[in-house]
Amino acid sequence: MKTIIKIIVIAISLIAFQSCTDHFEELNTNPHAYTDLDPGIQLAKVQLDLSGNRGPIWEYDLGIAMSTMQYFSGSWWCQHGGQYNIVNKSHWAALWEDRFSGGLKNIQNLLERTEGVAGQENMNSVARIMRVYLFSELTDMYGDIPYSQAIKGFSEGILLPTYDKQEDIYTDFFIELEKANVQLTGASGTIKGDLLLDGDVNKWRKFANSLRMRLGFRLTKVNPTEAKTQVEAAISGGVMTSNDDISMMIHEDIDYQQGDIENRGNGRSQTFQASANSEGFRLTNTFVDHLKLTGDPRLFIYGGTYLEDGTDLTQYLQLGITHGAMWWNEWSAYGDLFDPNTGNLVANVPMISKHMQPSKYIADQAAPNFVMTYAEVELLLAEAAVRGWGATGAQAHYEAGLQAGLTHVSMYPGAPDISQADKDAFIAANALPADMEGKIRVINEQMWVNLYMNGLESYSNFRRSGYPALTPFQGVEWYTSGTGGVIPRRFFYPEFESQVNPVNYQEAVDRQGADDLLTRVWWDKE
């Protein structure tokens, strides 16, 4: 696979106005300030920040997206996604601020400086692919967003960008991915600073096509004809073919408090380590019970049961917490735990420790961040085969997806390998149903399991596919549902957008619908 890469990265903060989140009064007047900046440094910085920034990841992913998808509860911040309550408005804006003010500014500058430059074609193509990836996360969460005029304050002086329709944004995504794919060649220059795919041109082409397939499937409900066209084009172009093609960031065991000039630990893992025990996240019974029901051996890699002193009780105790609950809401202490085989007392388990936490493997700061996996690609190919969209052999692709997912989880530091016998038994016990809808349901339930630790993509795939069929949080005696028991369909826009760019913001709201959690984005057609 990949070797661990350590890179010293300067903190790049281009004074380029993004969607509207920066202050206008300090415009950089030197047009040559970043013309000599090494594109490889910019690319590395963008890739590192996808998963190395603890703050925003804790807010938009763990507290909102992953809680909405019922992976986690237990933490105070899971009220956002677990109970659909707007506890802290800044958390809902965290993704917007992080992408527009950070990654997209660097990528846009990198794209502009390599456009049409001989020997920089591959760098330009990678910048295009990364730009689509970053913007896709934003539009999938918020809907209509600044796109064609975004990040143009530095280069073109556009300070109040219009909001593009999501439909138009998606049309451009496919154009950009096609252009990048055609332009990527072995003779078009080195891809410098690439921490996701080690500068491998062929892997970048596969990633571009795999991303195109992912985004093509987004259109399943709103425009199935175009969805089919894009999925077939992606498959024809060549998608990932093994776990060697996985796009991932390999992190190092460096705490986020040590500054941002190194390859810090995975931001999700940093959060788990910083918020253990009383403030910690717990796996929900929705997720734990599904893994138990299907006999999924990943349960013991995804989650663990630990006493406060670190004693590992996972083999004896695998309990999820009620979706939407805090750990202190489930009052009964667990009490004495006995070994079912010997009858011997193992431990006295206090209330705080009885529910499964993110495992010690997941919580390791050196845990990789999987941007896109081969397992996801095979599951999408399985659905494409079911629908007759450029692939055949749904069962074979489905089994390949399960096999890949059961294998790549062992890349977490210290995680055990799942034996081939256990993989085979799990796959045999979870075959696809005979009917078409049953096939789509099971494929996407397995996609949900595979996308653990990638809350944004899981949330998007849930909205487009309808699976898993989650039971919404209706409210319990200690908390109420912020949406009346309806799972949110989007993030609401940051409050400052209505203040600094009011005309364009209001135009988007009038076109799209109320700026709340229940308005659906364009592709999420009812």
Side-chain angles (χ1 to χ4, degrees):
M1 202 32 95
K2 299 175 183 166
T3 57
I4 295 179
I5 302 170
K6 181 173 182 179
I7 183 168
I8 304 299
V9 181
I10 65 171
I12 303 164
S13 180
L14 298 177
I15 308 177
F17 294 93
Q18 79 280 2
S19 62
C20 298
T21 60
D22 291 342
H23 299 292
F24 297 154
E25 60 269 18
E26 298 180 0
L27 175 63
N28 187 348
T29 58
N30 178 4
H32 306 293
Y34 300 97
T35 57
D36 297 326
L37 188 60
D38 186 340
I41 292 177
Q42 288 180 288
L43 181 61
K45 173 66 174 173
V46 171
Q47 293 178 348
L48 283 166
D49 285 351
L50 283 176
S51 50
N53 286 345
R54 170 184 174 259
I57 290 171
W58 154 56
E59 293 170 344
Y60 69 71
D61 199 36
L62 299 177
I64 301 179
M66 292 196 71
S67 298
T68 300
M69 290 309 299
Q70 300 188 22
Y71 296 117
F72 292 136
S73 196
S75 168
W76 178 261
W77 302 109
C78 290
Q79 292 178 78
H80 294 89
Q83 300 170 5
Y84 324 139
N85 282 312
I86 304 172
V87 181
N88 187 323
K89 291 184 177 180
S90 68
H91 285 209
W92 298 87
L95 176 67
W96 183 287
E97 291 186 299
D98 188 62
R99 294 295 185 260
F100 274 123
S101 64
L104 281 170
K105 287 201 293 187
N106 280 300
I107 283 297
Q108 184 66 31
N109 180 263
L110 172 55
L111 186 67
E112 291 169 356
R113 291 194 300 112
T114 56
E115 181 69 30
V117 179
Q120 294 288 345
E121 292 88 351
N122 284 339
M123 285 297 295
N124 182 265
S125 295
V126 169
R128 289 182 186 280
I129 297 166
M130 290 299 301
R131 184 175 182 272
V132 169
Y133 178 83
L134 293 169
F135 267 118
S136 68
E137 290 185 324
L138 284 167
T139 189
D140 287 345
M141 295 305 117
Y142 297 99
D144 295 357
I145 58 170
Y147 178 72
S148 59
Q149 293 185 353
I151 327 293
K152 299 291 180 67
F154 180 70
S155 59
E156 299 181 26
I158 300 175
L159 307 182
L160 300 174
T162 58
Y163 285 54
D164 294 76
K165 296 178 181 179
Q166 188 178 60
E167 180 177 7
D168 296 337
I169 295 170
Y170 260 76
T171 297
D172 194 63
F173 282 167
F174 300 130
I175 293 172
E176 287 290 284
L177 291 173
E178 175 67 20
K179 182 174 182 178
N181 207 317
V182 170
Q183 189 174 245
L184 277 166
T185 69
S188 297
T190 303
I191 302 172
K192 299 172 63 178
D194 176 23
L195 305 181
L196 295 183
L197 293 168
D198 295 337
D200 189 308
V201 170
N202 290 328
K203 289 182 180 180
W204 271 104
R205 295 192 68 179
K206 291 179 182 180
F207 176 63
N209 286 320
S210 300
L211 179 59
R212 185 176 184 176
M213 181 167 63
R214 173 196 277 181
L215 298 178
F217 266 105
R218 291 280 200 273
L219 312 187
T220 301
K221 293 191 294 186
V222 70
N223 190 342
T225 300
E226 181 63 14
K228 180 176 184 290
T229 296
Q230 294 302 329
V231 169
E232 289 180 342
I235 295 171
S236 177
V239 295
M240 294 181 186
T241 56
S242 75
N243 274 344
D244 287 340
D245 295 328
I246 289 176
S247 175
M248 67 178 181
M249 180 68 218
I250 299 178
H251 284 278
E252 293 198 10
D253 189 10
I254 298 177
D255 190 86
Y256 71 98
Q257 294 177 325
Q258 293 183 228
D260 62 354
I261 63 170
E262 294 185 90
N263 178 359
R264 294 178 298 175
N266 189 314
R268 295 168 182 83
S269 305
Q270 294 168 27
T271 300
F272 299 144
Q273 291 202 358
S275 58
N277 298 321
S278 63
E279 295 297 323
F281 292 80
R282 302 292 188 270
L283 274 63
T284 68
N285 51 22
T286 308
F287 192 51
V288 171
D289 290 351
H290 176 83
L291 296 177
K292 285 183 175 180
L293 181 65
T294 58
D296 198 319
R298 286 171 290 191
L299 171 63
F300 299 94
I301 295 179
Y302 284 163
T305 307
Y306 311 110
L307 295 179
E308 291 184 86
D309 64 4
T311 301
D312 191 336
L313 303 176
T314 309
Q315 63 174 312
Y316 304 108
L317 187 61
Q318 308 99 36
L319 292 176
I321 195 168
T322 301
H323 170 52
M326 304 299 120
W327 71 263
W328 56 84
N329 296 137
E330 307 207 330
W331 290 103
S332 61
Y334 193 79
D336 290 339
L337 176 67
F338 294 89
D339 186 325
N341 296 315
T342 66
N344 295 332
L345 177 68
V346 174
N348 181 274
V349 184
M351 178 180 65
I352 193 174
S353 299
K354 71 176 183 178
H355 301 109
M356 295 191 85
Q357 304 172 31
S359 72
K360 57 189 176 184
Y361 317 117
I362 299 292
D364 192 304
Q365 290 193 131
N369 174 53
F370 295 108
V371 175
M372 194 170 191
T373 67
Y374 168 56
E376 176 187 345
V377 170
E378 283 290 358
L379 290 173
L380 290 175
L381 287 170
E383 184 172 345
V386 170
R387 295 180 181 276
W389 290 0
T392 58
Q395 182 68 31
H397 283 299
Y398 170 73
E399 291 183 4
L402 296 188
Q403 185 79 229
L406 291 164
T407 300
H408 82 236
V409 293
S410 295
M411 295 178 189
Y412 285 104
D417 291 327
I418 298 172
S419 71
Q420 191 57 53
D422 286 344
K423 292 175 186 176
D424 292 342
F426 172 71
I427 293 171
N430 292 277
L432 290 178
D435 63 297
M436 178 177 177
E437 190 58 35
K439 287 181 171 68
I440 292 174
R441 173 182 59 80
V442 170
I443 289 168
N444 284 285
E445 286 174 349
Q446 287 300 324
M447 184 72 82
W448 173 57
V449 174
N450 181 71
L451 289 172
Y452 178 65
M453 301 309 298
N454 188 347
L456 294 181
E457 181 55 31
S458 183
Y459 182 41
S460 290
N461 194 67
F462 159 75
R463 287 176 290 156
R464 75 93 188 164
S465 71
Y467 296 110
L470 300 174
T471 300
F473 177 75
Q474 302 291 334
V476 289
E477 59 179 325
W478 51 82
Y479 291 114
T480 59
S481 168
T483 61
V486 180
I487 296 175
R489 308 306 294 192
R490 66 183 283 269
F491 290 10
F492 57 84
Y493 293 125
E495 284 190 295
F496 50 71
E497 282 294 297
S498 64
Q499 300 167 5
V500 299
N501 193 12
V503 174
N504 292 318
Y505 161 83
Q506 193 59 51
E507 181 183 84
V509 172
D510 291 343
R511 180 175 64 227
Q512 180 170 267
D515 185 15
D516 60 28
L517 301 180
L518 299 183
T519 292
R520 292 173 179 249
V521 302
W522 165 74
W523 53 254
D524 185 20
K525 183 179 179 181
E526 292 190 71

